[in-house]
Amino acid sequence: MAQKILVVDDEESLCEILKFNLEKEGFAVDVAYSAEQCQTMDLNVYSLIILDVMMGEMSGFTFAHQLKSKPETAIIPIIFCTAKNTEDDTILGLNLGADDYIQKPFSVREVVARVQTVLRRAVRQKEDSVKSSSLLSYETLQVDINKKRVTLDGEDVQLTKKEFEILVLLLSNKGVILSRTHILDHVWSDEVVVLDRTIDVNITRLRKKIGRYGSHIITKMGYGYGFEE
């Protein structure tokens, strides 16, 4: 599926030129002629917004600030494409969270090249974010959630499925004491009957398998378990 780009500029001819050339490169392109028009649109579908600054009642700077202040649109890359070409304007645009700032007049080839660069960077950042969110660690104890792999000092540690899930739960909540009920709901959610003793046995085995880090799995009598840094 083609990446979708929104071009926002009150110059209709400029919008059409950018739309034509970006579509030639394989992008799906929509246009809007004011920030106010954009506010009536579902912006979450766009991979990138090309934004003019001087438009109608709401400037591109104000609209960009609104986008970056909302969690649902904050991650959408923005390229300012504007005749406001002073150094202060550029710095303001970048400080608002824009990914690039192109001054008018510009060459269409330059805009296309910069769009491709920003989108490649956005994809890499998204991949890095997904990758980092799948990795948990404490010093040399590493857990790869996607690969279901645990290493200690670079050596593989063989855990059962339940031991692995307990370790992930504890490392994801370092410094927090998790009740037995919480652990049961997250690790044994598909089981009909599980005794508290089952948790204790798995915790004991897990402590032994992760060596010196086993002592970081603490017990709070009457409360539950936690991983203490």
Side-chain angles (χ1 to χ4, degrees):
M1 183 181 295
Q3 291 174 295
K4 295 194 72 172
I5 296 173
L6 176 62
V7 178
V8 188
D9 198 303
D10 57 2
E11 295 183 51
E12 294 188 25
S13 60
L14 181 60
C15 287
E16 292 306 315
I17 290 171
L18 289 175
K19 177 179 172 67
F20 175 78
N21 284 278
L22 288 167
E23 286 180 341
K24 280 205 311 182
E25 296 297 323
F27 298 108
V29 182
D30 291 331
V31 299
Y33 304 117
S34 68
E36 289 82 1
Q37 182 182 348
C38 293
Q39 292 179 317
T40 67
M41 302 168 65
D42 180 9
L43 300 177
N44 296 314
V45 301
Y46 296 105
S47 300
L48 173 74
I49 297 176
I50 299 175
L51 185 59
D52 187 20
V53 173
M54 296 181 290
M55 303 179 293
E57 295 183 8
M58 181 184 295
S59 74
F61 286 153
T62 300
F63 182 52
H65 177 71
Q66 288 185 2
L67 291 174
K68 293 302 180 181
S69 65
K70 297 177 182 178
E72 62 270 23
T73 54
I75 62 172
I76 302 174
I78 294 173
I79 296 178
F80 280 116
C81 195
T82 175
K84 288 182 71 66
N85 57 9
T86 70
E87 182 179 1
D88 286 344
D89 291 327
T90 303
I91 291 172
L92 175 58
L94 296 175
N95 284 340
L96 284 170
D99 294 79
D100 206 344
Y101 195 103
I102 304 174
Q103 298 176 0
K104 296 179 181 178
F106 53 77
S107 80
V108 173
R109 290 180 60 193
E110 178 188 7
V111 174
V112 171
R114 294 209 192 185
V115 163
Q116 292 169 332
T117 297
V118 168
L119 285 173
R120 282 196 300 269
R121 185 166 63 234
V123 169
R124 283 198 304 271
Q125 289 173 342
K126 185 176 181 179
E127 289 174 346
D128 289 344
S129 176
V130 170
K131 183 178 179 180
S132 64
S133 67
S134 71
L135 298 175
L136 295 171
S137 66
Y138 178 74
E139 295 181 357
T140 61
L141 178 64
Q142 308 250 342
V143 179
D144 188 320
I145 297 174
N146 289 340
K147 295 181 179 179
K148 304 296 186 284
R149 183 188 182 200
V150 177
T151 59
L152 174 61
D153 299 329
E155 299 291 328
D156 284 334
V157 178
Q158 300 303 319
L159 300 182
T160 65
K161 182 175 183 291
K162 298 303 185 186
E163 291 165 357
F164 179 85
E165 291 174 354
I166 290 172
L167 181 59
V168 167
L169 185 61
L170 294 178
L171 281 177
S172 298
N173 296 274
K174 287 195 289 284
V176 178
I177 299 300
L178 303 177
S179 69
R180 291 172 178 273
T181 300
H182 185 96
I183 296 173
L184 284 171
D185 288 345
H186 283 75
V187 178
W188 281 274
S189 59
D190 56 342
E191 308 287 338
V192 178
V193 178
V194 179
L195 302 176
D196 284 354
R197 178 65 181 158
T198 303
I199 299 177
D200 299 335
V201 169
N202 278 271
I203 292 284
T204 299
R205 289 202 305 252
L206 176 58
R207 281 177 172 144
K208 290 179 180 177
K209 290 183 178 181
I210 61 174
R212 63 184 180 278
Y213 297 113
S215 62
H216 289 268
I217 298 178
I218 62 172
T219 306
K220 288 289 186 182
M221 297 302 296
Y223 293 97
Y225 294 99
F227 191 96
E228 190 174 64
E229 298 188 65

